[in-house]
Amino acid sequence: IGMVTLLASQLVNRTVVDQCRSQELQLVSSLAQQTESYFNSLSADLNSLALEPQIKTVLYDPEHAESMMLMSEHAASYPGVIRTIARLDEDGEPRYAWPADLNTQIQAGERLPYGLSSSDIADVQERAARGERIDIVLIPASRRGDPNGTFLMVAPLTTDLRKTEFIVYELN
């Protein structure tokens, strides 16, 4: 009887362990699907912002009021996720950005708080010149004053002058 009890106990233990593993796998799979869905939604939002006529225009507007309003609306859709949004020219130089205090700094000639490497910009430019479809790129970047860095979600946009420029979500 002692041996049968021991075998039954081991069988129950194995069954419990197997059930826990199965539940963990289901949880991890569910979280992965939710994360993928969330990033797909964020990417779609960034793509829609890049298609807005107010964002695509290269006409100089010192206030960028309509663009700033659109950026603010997009950021409000993802509270706590989008840290900044910037519109960059074909060389990766900022034209304007949200929030307003960052935009004020840019208009005063200051740099963005993160670095977007010229090689990332060059790669997208070369692909655009070849007529390739360019998808959104997620890039790890350094951020001044933050040893952990940041992540940039970069979407190309074709301006009304047929230049490839960029719209960038900095993710929190």
Side-chain angles (χ1 to χ4, degrees):
I1 288 210
M3 185 61 118
V4 170
T5 305
L6 178 62
L7 289 173
S9 174
Q10 289 175 346
L11 180 61
V12 168
N13 283 342
R14 268 192 235 141
T15 303
V16 168
V17 167
D18 288 345
Q19 286 176 346
C20 286
R21 285 184 183 146
S22 175
Q23 289 173 348
E24 286 175 353
L25 182 59
Q26 288 174 349
L27 178 63
V28 168
S29 177
S30 175
L31 288 173
Q33 289 172 350
Q34 289 174 18
T35 301
E36 181 181 12
S37 175
Y38 189 79
F39 273 96
N40 285 341
S41 174
L42 197 58
S43 294
D45 188 73
L46 181 55
N47 267 331
S48 73
L49 183 61
L51 294 173
E52 291 286 346
Q54 300 91 328
I55 299 293
K56 291 174 69 166
T57 186
V58 294
L59 295 176
Y60 181 72
D61 174 6
E63 302 286 321
H64 302 287
E66 291 180 9
S67 299
M68 294 294 287
M69 184 178 68
L70 280 170
M71 289 177 168
S72 179
E73 289 171 1
H74 281 254
S77 299
Y78 297 90
V81 175
I82 298 174
R83 186 183 265 180
T84 65
I85 302 174
R87 165 73 194 291
L88 310 178
D89 68 15
E90 71 259 12
D91 297 320
E93 295 299 320
R95 288 186 181 270
Y96 52 88
W98 174 91
D101 60 336
L102 178 59
N103 191 54
T104 301
Q105 293 170 5
I106 287 171
Q107 301 311 316
E110 294 183 35
R111 307 279 307 151
L112 290 167
Y114 53 80
L116 184 60
S117 79
S118 58
S119 64
D120 291 324
I121 298 294
D123 177 57
V124 173
Q125 291 294 53
E126 288 171 17
R127 291 170 52 206
R130 290 191 303 262
E132 292 180 25
R133 181 174 189 268
I134 304 167
D135 294 318
I136 289 178
V137 181
L138 187 63
I139 302 170
S142 60
R143 189 176 213 283
R144 286 191 307 264
D146 186 350
N148 296 321
T150 190
F151 283 91
L152 307 175
M153 188 173 267
V154 181
L157 63 91
T158 304
T159 69
D160 47 8
L161 295 178
R162 296 283 182 220
K163 291 183 179 184
T164 300
E165 297 190 353
F166 309 93
I167 189 84
V168 178
Y169 281 177
E170 179 191 11
L171 305 178
N172 194 1

